[in-house]
Every structure is written in C-alpha cells, then in structure tokens.
C-alpha cells in the first residue's frame, strides 16, 4: 500500500505529464481546467485512465471516473485527496 | 437577544441556505452544462457560441448570424475498464439573415467520445455525432453523421502536447490536433431543386490554437479537406479554412471579441464556395 506522500507524487507526476506542465512549477491550488494548466478533454480522459489503473492496482474494488476528474473546479490538491480516499478509503 | 435571533431566522439563515443552493446550482451548471458554437464531434476544440456581423466580400450582402449549442449531461460507460466511453445529448440553434443563405435550424443529436490505448505512445480517441435537424426556413428535416479519429501524446511535437510561455507561471500557449474522419449528410436541394440528396465524404482536418499573450490574444486555425465519396455533380475536393483572432478582455476566459476569416466550401452554406470576414461576440461556458 503506497503512503499518502507516494500517492500525491504519482498524481503530480500524471498532472505534469498530461498537462505538459513543468513538474517543479506545479502547485496544489492549480485548477486542472483553468490557466495555467488548461487541461482539455483528451488530457483529462487519458489521465483518468492512468490514475484509474493506479487506483485499481492498490484497491481493485474502487475505480476513478472521467466525470470526477473533469469537474469544473477540481484542483491538483483535490485530485490528490480523491485518489488517496479511493485507495485507502 | 430575541431581536437578534428573529433577525437571524428571518434574514440571515434563509440567505445562507439560498446562497448554498445558488452555489450548488452554479457548480452543477459548470460541471454539467457547456455552451459552444457547435458540438459537431470535435468538442475538445474551443469553439465559443457566436453572435456575428458578417461582411461578405463577394456581394453587398452583410448580415447577422447566431450559432449556439448546448450540452447538458454526460453519461459514462465501462467505468471499470481501461477505456472511457462518454455519451451526451446536444441541442443546437443556427440562424442567419444572409440573403443568399438564410438559415433557421434547430437540431438535436447524440455525441460519443471513446478513449482507449492509454499505454501507447500516441493514444487514439474516437468522436462521433449524429444529429437530426429541423430546417424551419424550408420546412424540412435533415440528417447528419460525423465520425472521426484523432491522436493524443505527451511528448513535444505530438498532437495534444501543450506548448507554453517561458515565464514563471508557464502559462498555456497552444496545442494542435489532427483528425481523420467520415461524414454523411442528407441535404435537400443540394444539387437538384426539390430532392434530398446524400453527400458523404472522407476528410482530413487540423485544428491549431495559439495564444500570443497569456489569457488575452488567441488565434485559432481550423483547416479541413473533404473528398467526396457520394457521386453527385458538385466538386469532389472541398477544402475549407477558418482563421479566428480573438481578444479576451479582462482576466476571464468566457467572453471574447473575435475577427473570423473563412474561405472554402462551407457545409453551413450547402458546400458552396464562400469567402467571409466576420466580427463576432463569442462566449463559452
């Protein structure tokens, strides 16, 4: 079972990769759909699939939905909390 | 004390509750409703709804145009799989006072998006749209289907990769997407007056978005090349390019003023050749 710190690191890595955003500049308060990240539908959907696989690896009874990731005001921090909850909740 | 309690019960508590309801509804609206120019199967492109004033270079016929499309709810299937399949209904209204191509159409349709191959370097996704249109101007119904495939990657140069400003915020600067697709239209009076004809085509399309300054000046280029499969009298090769320069005043991303230039064979004008510049008020939510 990964630690909270490891889960947060995985989420940040995925956001940085799918938003083509520098990892070292990523902040928890950034909203996925707003500037500066501006993640669009393909980015969010493919990131969902990556994080869903990660959730299922550690907690097969849980899943992650695209509509959860595409919420208007979802921040990096809220996404980290969501994944922690799904894996450990 | 009683007065304070009475004040709280009468004014403050209902206010808080109302505020929470409004906030809840606003969040629901933002999560479930989108307003754009169209949802023609390529909704990842940023096409705001428009109210436009057109200047037609080929005649003195200037006119007003409105294009509004609304998406209300998404349904997601295969929630435990390695794919994302999403369905959503859309409604669109398109109106034009152009003397050569008056338009008054209301349509209802179903869009699907299918994302798969997430472990591949270049990840494919499919988009489709089927729509039934009521043409109030001519009192007839039209049918349209569009299916297309595109690719997404996370490495520099790949479609979907976001290039960014070299500043502290590394703001979003642009991206591009290619599409290969098929479209099927049933259009009345396309070539012969009084008959509804089938127009089907394969197409290649490139959409590019680039911001010249963070969050304020944007250019979009949407180029499409259609090759007709159906055998009728109009041309077989139907290119169309649409270039838009948009300005977003203030620190917001919902309302813009745009200058659009369109040149080519336009499906909105029954695939006749058009060359049009337009000034638009655009909004998207």
């Amino acid at each position: 079972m990964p630690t909270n710190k490891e889960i947060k690191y995985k989420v940040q890595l995925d956001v940085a990769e799918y938003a083509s955003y520098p990892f070292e500049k990523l902040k928890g308060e950034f909203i996925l759909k707003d500037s500066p990240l501006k993640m669009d539908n393909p980015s969010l959907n493919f990131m969902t699939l990556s994080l869903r696989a990660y959730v299922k690896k550690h907690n097969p009874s849980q899943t992650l939905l695209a509509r959860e990731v595409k919420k208007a005001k979802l921040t990096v921090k809220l996404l980290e909390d969501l994944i922690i909850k799904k894996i450990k909740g | 004390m009683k007065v304070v309690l009475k004040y709280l019960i009468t004014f403050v508590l209902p206010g808080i509750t109302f505020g929470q309801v409004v906030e809840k509804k606003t969040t629901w609206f933002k999560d479930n409703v989108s307003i754009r120019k169209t949802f023609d199967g390529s909704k990842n492109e940023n096409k705001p709804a428009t109210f436009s004033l057109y200047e037609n270079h080929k005649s003195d016929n200037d006119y007003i145009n409105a294009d509004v499309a609304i998406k209300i709810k998404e349904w997601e299937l295969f929630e435990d799989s390695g794919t994302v399949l999403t369905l959503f209904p859309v409604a669109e209204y398109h109106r034009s006072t152009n003397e050569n191509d008056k338009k008054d159409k209301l349509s209802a349709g179903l869009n699907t998006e299918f994302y798969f191959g997430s472990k591949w370097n270049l990840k494919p996704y499919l988009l489709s749209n089927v729509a039934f249109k009521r043409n109030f101007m001519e009192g007839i119904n039209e049918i349209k289907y569009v299916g297309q495939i595109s690719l997404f990657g996370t490495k520099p140069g790949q479609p979907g990769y976001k290039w960014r400003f070299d500043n502290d915020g590394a703001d979003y600067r642009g991206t591009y997407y290619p599409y290969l697709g098929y479209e099927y239209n049933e259009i009345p009076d396309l070539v012969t007056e009084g008959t509804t004809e089938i127009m089907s085509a394969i197409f290649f399309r490139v959409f590019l978005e680039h911001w010249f300054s963070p969050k304020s000046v944007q250019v979009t280029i949407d180029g499409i090349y259609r090759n007709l499969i159906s055998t009728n009298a109009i041309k077989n090769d139907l290119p169309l390019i649409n270039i838009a320069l948009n300005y977003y005043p203030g620190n917001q991303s919902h309302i813009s003023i745009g200058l659009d230039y369109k040149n080519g064979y336009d499906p909105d004008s029954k695939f006749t050749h058009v060359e049009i510049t337009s000034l638009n008020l655009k909004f998207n939510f």
Side-chain angles (χ1 to χ4, degrees):
Chain A
M1 180 71 70
T3 63
N4 286 5
K5 195 177 173 185
E6 286 168 336
I7 295 172
K8 286 180 182 181
Y9 182 67
K10 162 66 179 169
V11 171
Q12 289 166 19
L13 272 183
D14 271 16
V15 171
E17 181 184 355
Y18 287 90
S20 319
Y21 193 85
F23 177 82
E24 63 280 6
K25 292 182 177 177
L26 200 63
K27 292 179 182 170
E29 69 262 27
F30 284 170
I31 294 171
L32 303 187
K33 286 178 144 184
D34 281 355
S35 197
L37 295 179
K38 279 266 195 184
M39 294 182 76
D40 56 18
N41 249 11
S43 317
L44 294 167
N45 279 293
F46 282 117
M47 188 176 74
T48 300
L49 289 176
S50 172
L51 290 173
R52 181 187 293 172
Y54 183 69
V55 167
K56 286 206 161 289
K57 182 180 167 188
H58 298 292
N59 187 354
S61 65
Q62 281 288 339
T63 191
L64 178 69
L65 306 179
R67 63 172 176 269
E68 294 175 301
V69 176
K70 291 194 285 185
K71 286 196 168 182
K73 293 293 176 190
L74 190 76
T75 62
V76 177
K77 172 76 169 58
L78 289 172
L79 182 61
E80 291 169 1
D81 295 343
L82 180 67
I83 303 300
I84 289 171
K85 191 177 161 194
K86 286 192 180 274
I87 289 177
K88 299 196 165 179
Chain B
M1 186 66 182
K2 274 184 180 175
V3 175
V4 173
L5 275 175
K6 196 174 176 185
Y7 171 79
L8 282 173
I9 290 166
T10 310
F11 297 106
V12 179
L13 289 179
I16 290 168
T17 310
F18 178 72
Q20 286 167 342
V21 169
V22 169
E23 192 180 335
K24 215 171 179 181
K25 283 187 174 173
T26 306
T27 305
W28 183 91
F29 184 86
K30 284 180 177 172
D31 287 338
N32 293 281
V33 178
S34 297
I35 298 172
R36 296 286 189 275
K37 179 178 182 180
T38 182
F39 290 102
D40 61 356
S42 56
K43 88 181 189 52
N44 46 28
E45 303 169 5
N46 189 12
K47 288 180 174 175
T50 55
F51 292 96
S52 320
L53 173 64
Y54 278 75
E55 184 195 340
N56 193 334
H57 296 280
K58 294 196 167 182
S59 75
D60 294 330
N61 172 25
D62 298 344
Y63 55 94
I64 304 290
N65 195 79
D67 293 297
V68 181
I70 184 163
K71 179 193 91 174
I72 292 174
K73 180 105 181 130
E74 286 188 1
W75 287 277
E76 196 176 331
L77 307 178
F78 308 140
E79 295 176 347
D80 285 302
S81 73
T83 64
V84 172
L85 176 61
T86 308
L87 311 177
F88 55 94
V90 296
E92 303 196 9
Y93 181 64
H94 302 281
R95 174 129 169 96
S96 171
T97 59
N98 180 1
E99 281 177 18
N100 298 327
D101 183 30
K102 285 189 177 176
K103 205 183 301 171
D104 191 5
K105 288 183 185 177
L106 183 66
S107 73
L110 182 70
N111 286 27
T112 62
E113 297 182 1
F114 184 53
Y115 298 85
F116 61 102
S118 63
K119 290 180 180 167
W120 301 346
N121 184 21
L122 268 176
K123 308 168 204 318
Y125 61 95
L126 301 169
L127 307 170
S128 78
N129 158 252
V130 60
F132 299 89
K133 302 179 184 180
R134 180 62 185 171
N135 185 335
F136 293 108
M137 203 61 78
E138 300 175 50
I140 48 178
N141 298 321
E142 301 173 8
I143 296 173
K144 181 180 183 180
Y145 169 79
V146 179
Q148 51 195 321
I149 184 167
S150 186
L151 296 165
F152 173 85
T154 56
K155 295 188 170 53
Q158 291 183 333
Y161 177 83
K162 279 81 186 163
W163 54 86
R164 294 184 173 278
F165 286 96
D166 188 18
N167 61 2
D168 286 343
D171 283 294
Y172 172 83
R173 186 164 207 170
T175 191
Y176 81 96
Y177 285 98
Y179 301 89
L180 185 64
Y182 166 78
E183 78 176 87
Y184 172 93
N185 295 275
E186 287 182 11
I187 308 173
D189 305 332
L190 181 63
V191 179
T192 311
E193 194 82 20
T195 61
T196 296
E197 282 150 302
I198 292 171
M199 180 275 183
S200 63
I202 53 170
F203 64 82
F204 176 70
R205 178 183 192 184
V206 175
F207 174 82
L208 184 146
E209 177 187 37
H210 182 84
W211 292 75
F212 286 102
S213 69
K215 296 179 260 181
S216 61
V217 182
Q218 172 205 39
V219 66
T220 61
I221 300 173
D222 193 350
I224 183 165
Y225 169 80
R226 288 182 173 86
N227 185 258
L228 285 194
I229 300 172
S230 54
T231 51
N232 46 26
I234 60 175
K235 279 171 67 76
N236 278 336
D237 302 316
L238 304 172
L240 174 69
I241 191 160
N242 199 332
I243 301 170
L245 182 66
N246 301 312
Y247 171 65
Y248 289 79
N251 191 20
Q252 52 83 35
S253 58
H254 296 303
I255 298 171
S256 65
I257 299 159
L259 187 65
D260 288 34
Y261 174 75
K262 187 192 277 188
N263 191 343
Y265 296 87
D266 187 6
D268 294 337
S269 303
K270 293 184 181 176
F271 296 97
T272 54
H273 186 266
V274 298
E275 185 184 8
I276 292 170
T277 303
S278 59
L279 184 64
N280 306 296
L281 178 63
K282 306 180 181 184
F283 59 91
N284 67 64
F285 292 95

